Amino acid sequence: MCGLFGTRGHPEVASSVIKGLQDLSYRGYDSWGIALQSGQELHVVRDIGLVPESPQLPTISSSLAIGHTRWSTHGEPTIANAHPHTSVDGKIAVVHNGIINNYQSLKDSLPHISFKSDTDTEVVAHLLDEACKGGLSLTEALRQVASRLSGRFALLVIDSRDDCLLAYRQGSPVVAGTDGTRQWIASDTFALSRCCEEGIYLEDEQLLVADATGMHLYNGSGESIPIHAEPISSQSSAHKKEGYDHFMRQEMDEQAAVIHRTTQAWDREQPLLPMPFVQNLKRIIILGCGTSWHAGLVAEYWLENLAKIPVEVEYASEFRYRDPLIYSNDCIIAISQSGETADTNAAVSVAKEKGATVIALCNTPGSTLTRMADTVCPTHAGMEIGVASTKAFTTQLTVLYQIALWLAERKNLLNSNSCDEKHLALRQVPEAVKKALKADSEIKAIAADYQHHNNALYLGRGLHFPIALEGALKLKEVSYVHAEGYPAAEMKHGPIALIDEEMPVVVIAIQDHTYEKVLANIAEIKARRGKVIAIGLAGDEHLRSQCDHMIAVPALPTELLPFVTVVPLQLLAYHIAVYRDCNIDKPRNLAKSVTVE
Ligand code: M6R
């Protein structure tokens, strides 16, 4: 995790780094720090918490600086553990994203140094210092030290005696830009987009040097290699709370518009996969984490029912470590809002090494995932700031449904008229989502009643089982209430023991082929005095009579209902978290992008 930002060659380096870190705070926000070079000295400022709007920085002139916003891996979020970390003499400063797996053995090799932090990073500053004292240039020292580190990491380094900014990538993203005289290096293009129009994406084992002569790129053997810059789109304008108290609430309201945009952007004629591959396609494996994994679980129903292709949905983190069997006629669909989730990207690497074809569903153009995939299907959610994913989820569903239709049509399982009808039905979703959002004040009142409960159960069946999982994840993530999602029929196999008058149970009860069974589950909960909050179709008065509260969602074709059943669950989690006075957009212990395994 963690965000890195460095810049050189202009007098505004301090404010540039602070703005960059603010843009990168989605990667971690438990502490931050900056090192400014001035008069052959480094001035380091570090603190705990989020990067402030206008931090107190020394009034010095500086044209070289690096900064960091942290999500703790090794060592608590304290000032001592905040980056930058420096060599003993304070001349070399390092910021780091990722994990250095062998840091302990490297630390043990430096018994004469008294370490000031518990991090895996500090050892890099000391190793660089030793290498430089041994006569190496800073660039050569970084190349040699990096080759001794194991794990996935990105590093930025400066030295008080050198007017140069160094970056190294091994598994964690680094992108650099310049306007000829000024240079910037960051963890993503979002932070860079306010500074420059083109980005240089480092590959693994590459080292970049920015100095007064320009940018220079080297491979793992230290050979100079050509630099290739690509246009980056400006994304900063999306970064405003338009009159809302929280981004999460704003992003829920944006769902209708971004689902619409995602359908508009879909090209039904696109060559998503080569036709011979589609004809031989035997299996789809969907990879993702958290909310993105839930979107994959919904898609499993669509892909199997519409395109008749067997689907396996896997936690990316588990997939990569079990030596999965992958065949040349398997297709991987990797889902990620950020495109920087370490588990997902590592799983995709494993799949690619085994020869799989990879489609990436991603909300972040230029991210690591999009650069690894054979085909990219963008989700057009726009920047999602709230850590709890809402609009990214529903745009993922939108793309996944369209992929299912694309495959079904190519396999002649849907003729073009039926396919047209289904695309038309999908176009009704934005209006339905808007209607579902109108239950806001009703849900707020329910949230007021349940704000003090510390547990909740979420039940659903079929397409709505993943939605139950998503509802439970939203609640635990933003309100710190323990919540579990279950297939409704599984309740009697264990979770029913939890039910008493203190247990709210959110049940998605849609009039489909499982409706009667779900009603029976509701009766079982009521018989044990549990409190039932049902999500049902508008007009279902029978359901209303069976439960304590019913939140109605508008009708849609059955297979599209997950788009609307998720909305009340997002709202419920949000309002409970507001009542509990939680940090809605930046919940404790989390980060928007989980860039460590
Ligand atoms: O960026 P990604 O979609 O790969 O992120 C995956 C999960 O970390 C993410 O969905 C997480 O579970 C969300 N905070 C859930 O709201």
Side-chain angles (χ1 to χ4, degrees):
M1 325 270 269
C2 307
L4 312 180
F5 196 95
T7 183
R8 72 159 296 288
H10 58 103
E12 287 91 32
V13 292
S15 60
S16 175
V17 167
I18 294 303
K19 282 197 195 90
L21 296 183
Q22 285 161 351
D23 285 342
L24 289 165
S25 66
Y26 74 90
R27 303 176 75 91
Y29 40 80
D30 60 38
S31 50
W32 66 278
I34 183 171
L36 297 153
Q37 188 206 53
S38 180
Q40 301 252 315
E41 296 294 330
L42 293 183
H43 299 260
V44 175
V45 176
R46 303 181 294 177
D47 206 350
I48 50 173
L50 191 63
V51 190
E53 202 49 49
S54 316
Q56 291 273 319
L57 297 178
T59 42
I60 49 173
S61 76
S62 171
S63 58
L64 175 63
I66 54 174
H68 187 266
T69 178
R70 181 170 186 246
W71 183 88
S72 307
T73 59
H74 296 71
E76 288 180 27
T78 58
I79 293 180
N81 289 330
H83 302 213
H85 292 283
T86 50
S87 52
V88 174
D89 61 7
K91 299 287 185 196
I92 294 175
V94 176
V95 290
H96 159 224
N97 168 32
I99 291 180
I100 296 164
N101 295 332
N102 59 337
Y103 80 101
Q104 192 58 54
S105 61
L106 293 169
K107 258 175 113 167
D108 295 345
S109 73
L110 302 171
H112 50 290
I113 289 179
S114 139
F115 279 76
K116 293 166 282 187
S117 76
D118 303 320
T119 64
D120 53 339
T121 308
E122 188 186 342
V123 70
V124 178
H126 301 310
L127 289 171
L128 287 171
D129 189 36
E130 302 251 317
C132 289
K133 285 190 173 130
L136 296 183
S137 66
L138 187 63
T139 305
E140 191 49 25
L142 177 57
R143 199 176 69 76
Q144 291 202 4
V145 168
S147 71
R148 296 178 62 192
L149 311 178
S150 74
R152 294 165 59 85
F153 53 87
L155 298 164
L156 297 188
V157 178
I158 57 173
D159 184 316
S160 64
R161 299 149 292 196
D162 260 340
D163 178 23
C164 74
L165 168 60
L166 270 56
Y168 187 90
R169 176 194 159 125
Q170 178 59 55
S172 298
V174 178
V175 56
T178 180
D179 66 357
T181 48
R182 299 177 294 176
Q183 294 129 335
W184 301 270
I185 307 182
S187 298
D188 72 13
T189 50
F190 176 60
L192 218 57
S193 64
R194 66 163 92 236
C195 311
C196 51
E197 289 166 3
E198 290 192 325
I200 301 155
Y201 295 86
L202 269 63
E203 303 289 342
D204 285 351
E205 293 184 21
Q206 287 183 349
L207 189 158
L208 185 109
V209 179
D211 62 21
T213 63
M215 299 264 216
H216 309 278
L217 191 59
Y218 301 93
N219 66 16
S221 316
E223 294 153 352
S224 172
I225 49 173
I227 287 184
H228 170 63
E230 298 173 30
I232 50 177
S233 52
S234 171
Q235 299 160 28
S236 308
S237 57
H239 198 171
K240 290 194 186 75
K241 251 186 266 169
E242 312 278 1
Y244 287 85
D245 291 335
H246 305 105
F247 282 114
M248 183 187 176
R249 185 67 191 80
Q250 177 179 341
E251 287 161 359
M252 280 186 248
D253 273 2
E254 285 169 10
Q255 290 182 108
V258 296
I259 293 169
H260 175 70
R261 187 158 79 200
T262 305
T263 58
Q264 294 291 105
W266 183 258
D267 176 3
R268 279 174 64 178
E269 304 311 322
Q270 66 183 296
L272 197 58
L273 293 167
M275 271 318 284
F277 184 82
V278 174
Q279 273 145 8
N280 286 318
L281 182 55
K282 292 281 177 296
R283 180 172 67 150
I284 292 175
I285 301 170
I286 301 183
L287 302 175
C289 303
T291 289
S292 296
W293 181 72
H294 297 158
L297 290 174
V298 176
E300 181 177 16
Y301 288 85
W302 290 334
L303 289 161
E304 292 199 340
N305 289 343
L306 295 165
K308 305 290 178 216
I309 301 168
V311 176
E312 288 168 25
V313 188
E314 302 236 20
Y315 281 121
S317 53
E318 289 299 313
F319 174 84
R320 69 165 299 210
Y321 282 112
R322 64 171 178 72
D323 197 14
L325 292 176
I326 296 175
Y327 303 103
S328 57
N329 47 10
D330 286 340
C331 174
I332 302 284
I333 300 182
I335 310 176
S336 175
Q337 188 285 128
S338 60
E340 300 297 351
T341 298
D343 288 323
T344 306
N345 292 351
V348 167
S349 296
V350 168
K352 277 184 72 88
E353 274 161 27
K354 290 175 182 261
T357 297
V358 178
I359 298 178
L361 246 79
C362 190
N363 197 40
T364 312
S367 58
T368 304
L369 177 63
T370 64
R371 303 171 70 75
M372 293 164 84
D374 298 291
T375 304
V376 177
C377 294
T379 49
H380 296 271
M383 186 83 185
E384 191 179 62
I385 307 284
V387 164
S389 195
T390 53
K391 62 176 181 169
F393 177 69
T394 41
T395 53
Q396 286 168 350
L397 293 186
T398 310
V399 172
L400 288 163
Y401 186 72
Q402 293 175 119
I403 291 178
L405 295 183
W406 189 96
L407 286 167
E409 199 175 7
R410 294 303 176 291
K411 290 184 72 194
N412 293 323
L413 294 166
L414 277 181
N415 62 33
S416 92
N417 281 349
S418 321
C419 207
D420 287 352
E421 278 168 25
K422 287 191 183 289
H423 277 286
L424 272 177
L426 187 64
R427 305 261 159 133
Q428 298 168 25
V429 166
E431 232 10 78
V433 166
K434 272 191 205 160
K435 280 191 193 148
L437 283 159
K438 290 204 171 116
D440 185 61
S441 43
E442 184 192 338
I443 294 171
K444 188 173 175 189
I446 296 172
D449 288 350
Y450 290 92
Q451 60 177 299
H452 300 299
H453 289 252
N454 287 323
N455 297 288
L457 204 54
Y458 284 69
L459 304 178
R461 291 199 75 158
L463 281 162
H464 303 285
F465 160 53
I467 299 300
L469 292 177
E470 176 61 7
L473 177 64
K474 288 290 88 87
L475 186 69
K476 63 187 129 191
E477 196 175 22
V478 293
S479 72
Y480 320 143
V481 170
H482 168 238
E484 298 206 44
Y486 263 93
E490 275 293 305
M491 182 183 67
K492 57 187 176 293
H493 297 290
I496 198 164
L498 296 168
I499 292 175
D500 61 16
E501 56 278 5
E502 291 301 312
M503 179 61 93
V505 188
V506 179
V507 187
I508 306 168
I510 293 302
Q511 287 150 316
D512 59 13
H513 60 294
T514 59
Y515 180 62
E516 298 297 331
K517 310 272 179 208
V518 177
L519 284 181
N521 296 140
I522 290 177
E524 289 155 12
I525 300 163
K526 291 308 304 167
R528 288 158 182 82
R529 300 193 180 162
K531 298 276 182 287
V532 175
I533 303 164
I535 313 298
L537 287 177
D540 186 349
E541 293 311 314
H542 177 64
L543 177 63
R544 193 177 290 284
S545 69
Q546 301 299 299
C547 54
D548 298 275
H549 311 271
M550 174 177 152
I551 305 167
V553 293
L556 275 174
T558 309
E559 65 195 17
L560 296 178
L561 282 168
F563 282 101
V564 286
T565 54
V566 74
V567 171
L569 306 190
Q570 295 168 341
L571 286 167
L572 186 64
Y574 171 78
H575 285 299
I576 289 179
V578 172
Y579 280 121
R580 292 168 72 97
D581 203 18
C582 295
N583 188 345
I584 307 287
D585 289 328
K586 289 190 162 54
R588 70 183 182 202
N589 304 339
L590 288 171
K592 183 68 186 160
S593 177
V594 183
T595 58
V596 290
E597 288 186 54

